Amino acid sequence: MTRVIPLTDARRPPAPAVKAPHVSPTGLLADTRGRMLRDLRISVTDRCNFRCVYCMPKDVFGRDYPFLPHGELLTFEEITRLVRIFKAHGVEKIRLTGGEPLLRRNLEHLVAMLAQIEGLDLTLTTNGSALAAKASELKAAGLKRITVSLDSLDDQVFRAMNDVDFPVARVLSGIDAAAHAGLSPVKINMVVKRGVNEHEILPMARRFKGSGHILRFIEFMDVGHTNGWRMDDVVPSAEVLRIIDRELPLEPIDPNYSGEVAERWRYVDGSGEIGVISSVTQAFCSDCTRARLATDGKLYTCLFATTGYDLRAMLRDGRSDAEIGSYIAAIWLQRADRYSEIRSENTVALPKIEMSYIGG
Ligand code: SAM
């Protein structure tokens, strides 16, 4: 039976007027909780070729789903211009995402344009379906690292989770191609959902231990309106660590930098590291330095934000870099988001934006 889920089109709220305080058009920014602006995630397309049941379920993202028309997407030139402005405000790391970023035609051209901006850590998150064909051209264009989402090694479980019958072997060859091209260390993200793929935690750990890749376990989150999230479906990271540690002993290691999303652990026998991303059981809002640029150029200051600020309108209105920079500064200086800290069964029903559009 088809599940009916109320879906509001949150992509088109009018851009609210943010009152701009007097700020210099460039410079480092801290929000109302002292958090700097360091990372920008850019959704380059709201389309995906997978229909992962927890992200873009088929009964919502069906054939008639109104994905954004091409003209509403930021162009590569617009994205590059915004990235330069963000960099002037302290952004050091850019992650291209979506939707499925490798579905955006000629994405390697955008990578090449961004790679020319000095001093940026440039990376990309993909479902890996097109990676075997694209890894070396992405590397040649200047991509430094890559994250591949992979929720199971069991072909049947994987096909059921992506819900388009996509075989796991093709994602595994994409991971090999990425490593071979030098996009390393390859990070592999596994979203763990109770009763769906928790039995795959150990097989995934065994498979990637000693491979040089970094496997990260992500708690299932209540993003978007459509994934029917319940707290009972979350497998807490502490449980994931217990399961692995029983067979493959682990010890904690220091973060690479302050504000790192994944908590790092390494195998005691020295054969590599894993990470856990505990956005539900251990919210990391207090040092969140991320902003998100949605597919149509709206800026969001939290994955769970409902208000986006329309940077595309400014670009297409002929505003100067200084004006756009001031607007970004005003938005960040007033930022107070801390959704994951206040998450409860009650907040789940609040309006939210789909992850494919805002950028996962
Ligand atoms: N298509 C690309 C991919 O598959 O990696 C990029 C976009 S996807 C939205 C980015 C990441 O978000 C994936 O690793 C996906 O598993 C994760 N994700 C999606 N929905 C999630 C949820 N409800 N909870 C936790 N992670 C989620």
Side-chain angles (χ1 to χ4, degrees), residues 311-331:
L311 300 186
R312 189 190 67 195
M314 297 192 83
L315 291 165
R316 295 188 185 174
D317 271 2
R319 304 294 190 88
S320 67
D321 287 3
E323 284 174 301
I324 297 172
S326 268
Y327 186 58
I328 292 169
I331 293 164

Side-chain angles (χ1 to χ4, degrees), residues 98-230:
E100 172 47 42
L102 299 187
L103 290 187
R104 179 89 186 246
R105 195 177 303 166
N106 299 326
L107 187 79
E108 60 284 2
H109 296 175
L110 174 63
V111 170
M113 289 160 77
L114 296 177
Q116 294 198 341
I117 304 176
E118 258 178 50
L120 275 183
D121 182 13
L122 182 57
T123 182
L124 178 147
T125 300
T126 174
N127 61 24
S129 58
L131 200 50
K134 297 224 167 194
S136 51
E137 63 184 341
L138 288 168
K139 174 70 183 178
L143 191 69
K144 303 212 167 106
R145 292 180 294 105
I146 204 154
T147 300
V148 182
S149 304
L150 175 64
D151 296 332
S152 175
L153 289 170
D154 179 311
D155 196 47
Q156 260 186 337
V157 174
F158 185 69
R159 286 176 194 253
M161 286 185 82
N162 65 52
D163 210 13
V164 291
D165 211 25
F166 197 90
V168 72
R170 284 178 56 193
V171 177
L172 292 171
S173 41
I175 292 172
D176 289 346
H180 188 68
L183 292 167
S184 44
V186 179
K187 290 188 181 154
I188 297 165
N189 279 356
M190 171 180 179
V191 174
V192 187
K193 194 172 172 196
R194 175 87 65 205
V196 176
N197 63 341
E198 61 192 301
H199 59 288
E200 283 289 290
I201 293 170
L202 256 181
M204 288 280 285
R206 288 184 197 123
R207 164 91 185 210
F208 293 112
K209 181 173 182 285
S211 67
H213 309 328
I214 302 176
L215 175 61
R216 291 137 29 115
F217 298 89
I218 305 181
E219 289 178 348
F220 172 54
M221 291 184 291
D222 51 330
V223 284
H225 269 284
T226 54
N227 72 4
W229 185 88
R230 293 174 321 134

